Amino acid sequence: MADWSPTAYLSYTDERSRPFGELVARVRREPASVVDLGCGPGHLTSVVRERWPAARFVGLDASPAMIDRARASDPDGRYELADVRDHAAGRGPAGDADLVISNATLQWVPGHLELLPALAATARQTFAFSVPGNHDAPSHRLLREVAAREPYAAVVGPVERRAVGDPADYLTALAAPGWEVDTWETTYTHVLDGDDPVLRWISATGAQPVLHALDAHDIAHGTDLRARFDADFGAALREAYPRRPYGTPLAFRRVFAVATRTTGQNDEASIA
């Protein structure tokens, strides 16, 4: 997939940031070091700093554009290009930390459920994450349906339904001797403004693989498939998410997990 657009992702910043704040609020320990897996453009670093101002922080992301934006916005911070799987395997640039936290990233990692114990092992105190749980919502069902039509299907192929677990799945994956695990879900109802707000929302996140494929085809062949897809997908979204006098409501389910060590903690903090 082509690189992410930090500018597009930062639209609806308040709505996208809220789950991270609620995740941070459920971390009971006081970390001296924090690793943020999938830090994006660094817009949530301030939430960590406000909660734990003395903690040493490293943000990791696999997107060069996101890391560049984070470094430019926060030149005193530390942001490194890294893959979640490398961090789980101990090959990442950050090393272990007291708190390993992640917001809306793990759903992009194939087989992330099986990876969770290894990720938790890199946390000396707490491993905490949230993932979108809305992949059967109308927005994502319609993405798959419209992309399955010609002429789009020949370009993008089958659109994967991302395998995100329910709270019970994450509890099962993380429950082990020496750990206390808290999992839950929340459905937010965001009220979005402007024209085609749900299209703009999903175009910055879940629809990225489809849109990148269409953009690449247009560049290579001089077609206008991206514009046609936006029109068809936008029309379907407007029907599924009608505008109200107060804005366009978007129900967005999130799944959360906080795993806290209860034995064998090492409180000495260091980030490599």
Side-chain angles (χ1 to χ4, degrees):
M1 191 176 82
D3 205 356
W4 288 79
S5 166
T7 301
Y9 184 80
L10 286 171
S11 62
Y12 303 115
T13 300
D14 289 345
E15 292 86 352
R16 296 191 196 281
S17 301
R18 183 177 171 186
F20 187 73
E22 297 185 6
L23 180 66
V24 164
R26 299 288 280 269
V27 176
R28 301 194 309 272
R29 304 290 301 279
E30 292 293 322
S33 53
V34 179
V35 168
D36 182 0
L37 300 176
C39 65
H43 61 301
L44 298 176
T45 305
S46 61
V47 178
V48 174
R49 288 181 175 154
E50 287 174 9
R51 177 74 188 276
W52 303 292
R56 294 187 295 278
F57 173 88
V58 178
L60 305 180
D61 204 285
S63 162
M66 290 292 196
I67 290 296
D68 288 346
R69 179 66 173 267
R71 289 171 174 168
S73 301
D74 181 21
D76 294 328
R78 181 181 170 192
Y79 300 93
E80 303 286 352
L81 190 65
D83 187 273
V84 168
R85 289 161 293 197
D86 288 337
H87 182 80
R91 298 190 298 267
D96 294 352
D98 288 343
L99 170 63
V100 177
I101 195 165
S102 181
N103 181 64
T105 295
L106 298 182
Q107 76 276 6
W108 293 103
V109 180
H112 76 275
L113 269 167
E114 291 74 23
L115 196 64
L116 293 180
L119 287 172
T122 70
R124 286 189 292 270
Q125 294 179 356
T126 308
F127 173 49
F129 66 89
S130 74
V131 289
N134 64 333
H135 295 284
D136 288 323
S139 56
H140 289 66
R141 292 202 309 268
L142 290 170
L143 173 66
R144 296 191 290 268
E145 290 174 9
V146 176
R149 303 173 190 167
E150 295 299 345
Y152 315 121
V155 174
V156 303
V159 178
E160 177 186 0
R161 179 194 177 278
R162 305 234 164 241
V164 174
D166 291 326
D169 298 318
Y170 293 124
L171 174 62
T172 299
L174 291 168
W179 289 92
E180 181 181 289
V181 182
D182 181 19
T183 62
W184 72 98
E185 65 179 74
T186 297
T187 298
Y188 302 91
T189 302
H190 300 305
V191 179
L192 308 182
D193 296 324
D195 296 329
D196 287 325
V198 181
L199 176 64
R200 286 187 285 117
W201 175 289
I202 193 172
S203 293
T205 52
Q208 285 277 292
V210 171
L211 301 182
H212 285 317
L214 295 173
D215 284 338
H217 186 276
D218 286 347
I219 291 171
H221 301 281
T223 53
D224 63 347
L225 290 185
R226 167 66 187 272
R228 292 167 61 184
F229 181 85
D230 282 348
D232 290 345
F233 188 32
L237 290 173
R238 286 192 297 274
E239 183 175 352
Y241 297 92
R243 180 186 295 183
R244 307 298 184 187
Y246 50 81
T248 301
L250 170 68
F252 198 113
R253 177 176 175 257
R254 295 270 188 165
V255 182
F256 299 80
V258 176
T260 305
R261 287 189 187 269
T262 59
T263 60
Q265 302 100 328
N266 178 0
D267 291 331
E268 295 179 2
S270 64
I271 296 182

